[in-house]
Amino acid sequence: MYPDLWFLLAVFASFTGYAIYLAGLQRRLVEPNRASWLIWGSATLIEAVTYTAVNPGTPQSLVFLFSAAACLTIAVALWRRARWSAPDALEGVCMAASLGAILLWLVFREAFWAHMLVVAVVPVSFWPTWRSVWADRARERSPAWGLWSIGDLATLILATRIGGQGVGEYAYILVELACHASVWFMIGLATVNPLRSFGWREGRLRVLDAYAPANPFAIRDTHLGKSVFAAQGFRAGEPIVAFTGRRLAADRLPRRLSGRTDRFVQIARDAYLGPSGAIDDLINHSCAPNAGLRFDGDAPVLVAIRDIAVGEEISWDYSTTLADPDWRMACACGAPECRGTIAAFDTLPPERQRWYLDRGLVAPYLRRDRDDVAA
């Protein structure tokens, strides 16, 4: 007997959603609420077990088991990435409800009521995420929410086709569908469209750094790791690529930045541009760069400082946007004039500062600081 098509759609949508969300998490394209994911990880594990106990032998129980494993994976990834903060009152209530479900099931063996308690926990556990999205929709702007909603709908159709299921089964599916769809509506329905999710730049479709019809870049491994090389020539002054990460307030940066891998660009005294997940994340620093950032407002565009030949590595000077006195990174660019350390702009020799300023290759807030001092 072949698997039901609705079952296959539910599994595919759920699997693809979690894969895309994890990729976005690794590239820092999403900023999830850590408390919500910890609650979901524990709650979905309970739900998967209690659901199977209430509805043994149903194919949708496999979907819930997979979802539980994926939620726990994301929760662990978030836990490892940043230091945990104490839960607020609402998050504490959600955790207590989840613990109550575990005790009810383990001590009294009342699988049905444990199942219903977890159903009640789900919308409560969404409150931290709803609050986060309300403050900034970009924190959860991922096609995963649309895919999860589609997967929930397919699971609901599957349950009705099988028939004979109790209120417990339908309650959980409907609550999940409502919660996932609510976030999808809040961040914008168009985010399920891959063209919107991966971006459309200059008339070309950009999908994970691949361009059609022609890719102007090549990615190669060097002593610095992944590096970007020119697959076509660029003339001096020609735009190379826009930096498209999301703007973040300084107080929302991860607690642990790690040099080459942090992928954050300071664009104002109290603001940074986060990773985009695209080619600009891989462009390395050089103390003798062939490119530099120019700003249209707060949006930086990398332009060629001089002619760049095919096969030449593209690089820029990270110090031209930096003011944070605490951020430093050992430099291994290999240029004859290598400074040995990448640090704030005001650590550069005065003549080098002037060279960048005269060419408009310094973040606007740093230029304003120097204009204020001169005045």
Side-chain angles (χ1 to χ4, degrees):
M1 181 177 179
Y2 293 103
D4 192 287
L5 289 178
W6 293 110
F7 172 74
L8 294 177
L9 176 60
V11 172
F12 174 79
S14 181
F15 176 84
T16 306
Y18 282 114
I20 288 176
Y21 198 86
L22 275 170
L25 179 63
Q26 291 174 344
R27 293 165 177 257
R28 299 191 185 275
L29 301 179
V30 291
E31 188 182 352
N33 180 276
R34 296 193 295 270
S36 284
W37 279 100
L38 180 62
I39 297 165
W40 294 334
S42 58
T44 52
L45 179 61
I46 301 164
E47 173 55 30
V49 176
T50 57
Y51 183 94
T52 303
V54 174
N55 304 283
T58 57
Q60 52 267 39
S61 63
L62 297 176
V63 178
F64 294 146
L65 287 170
F66 169 78
S67 296
C71 283
L72 288 170
T73 299
I74 293 174
V76 170
L78 284 169
W79 180 280
R80 294 180 61 187
R81 193 177 79 175
R83 191 165 48 194
W84 194 258
S85 56
D88 60 26
L90 182 62
E91 294 164 352
V93 168
C94 296
M95 294 176 185
S98 297
L99 179 61
I102 296 174
L103 293 176
L104 182 64
W105 184 50
L106 292 179
V107 176
F108 299 102
R109 297 292 179 180
E110 290 289 343
F112 175 79
W113 290 110
H115 171 86
M116 294 306 295
L117 182 55
V118 174
V119 170
V121 165
V122 171
V124 179
S125 69
F126 265 82
W127 272 106
T129 291
W130 285 329
R131 184 173 51 187
S132 176
V133 174
W134 185 262
D136 181 0
R137 291 187 302 170
R139 294 178 184 177
E140 292 287 353
R141 194 174 292 280
S142 169
W145 293 103
L147 290 167
W148 290 329
S149 300
I150 293 170
D152 292 337
L153 183 59
T155 304
L156 179 62
I157 294 173
L158 174 65
T160 58
R161 284 166 56 86
I162 293 174
Q165 307 301 322
V167 65
E169 176 182 11
Y170 291 110
Y172 184 75
I173 298 172
L174 287 169
V175 168
E176 282 275 285
L177 173 59
C179 290
H180 285 145
S182 67
V183 178
W184 187 22
F185 272 85
M186 290 174 72
I187 63 175
L189 294 174
T191 54
V192 77
N193 184 348
L195 300 184
R196 285 287 300 274
S197 303
F198 294 126
W200 186 273
R201 299 289 184 270
E202 300 175 1
R204 296 175 294 190
L205 175 62
R206 175 171 62 80
V207 182
L208 300 179
D209 303 331
Y211 286 72
N215 187 348
F217 309 112
I219 309 300
R220 301 175 191 165
D221 288 316
T222 68
H223 67 290
L224 297 174
K226 297 293 183 184
S227 302
V228 179
F229 291 78
Q232 67 178 43
F234 294 93
R235 296 181 182 178
E238 182 180 355
I240 297 173
V241 66
F243 280 38
T244 58
R246 182 162 56 88
R247 185 185 177 106
L248 293 171
D251 60 5
R252 284 171 52 197
L253 287 181
R255 294 178 183 271
R256 299 173 183 171
L257 297 181
S258 51
R260 292 187 181 90
T261 62
D262 66 50
R263 309 300 186 195
F264 288 84
V265 177
Q266 190 172 12
I267 58 174
R269 184 67 58 182
D270 58 352
Y272 287 74
L273 204 64
S276 66
I279 199 78
D280 49 294
D281 286 350
L282 303 179
I283 300 175
N284 289 320
H285 164 89
S286 175
C287 295
N290 53 21
L293 287 183
R294 287 186 179 150
F295 287 73
D296 179 9
D298 284 333
V301 176
L302 193 71
V303 300
I305 296 174
R306 56 172 175 77
D307 290 348
I308 300 175
V310 174
E312 187 176 353
E313 183 181 357
I314 300 170
S315 60
W316 65 285
D317 192 331
Y318 292 176
S319 293
T320 55
T321 68
L322 274 171
D324 184 350
D326 298 324
W327 192 94
R328 290 178 176 270
M329 184 177 81
C331 183
C333 69
E337 51 271 78
C338 179
R339 302 188 295 270
T341 300
I342 308 168
F345 183 69
D346 60 12
T347 65
L348 297 182
E351 62 275 11
R352 192 59 173 168
Q353 292 184 37
R354 178 49 53 192
W355 193 90
Y356 284 127
L357 287 165
D358 289 345
R359 288 160 178 78
L361 302 175
V362 179
Y365 80 99
L366 291 174
R367 295 200 299 267
R368 286 193 296 269
D369 289 349
R370 273 141 190 79
D371 291 342
D372 292 342
V373 171

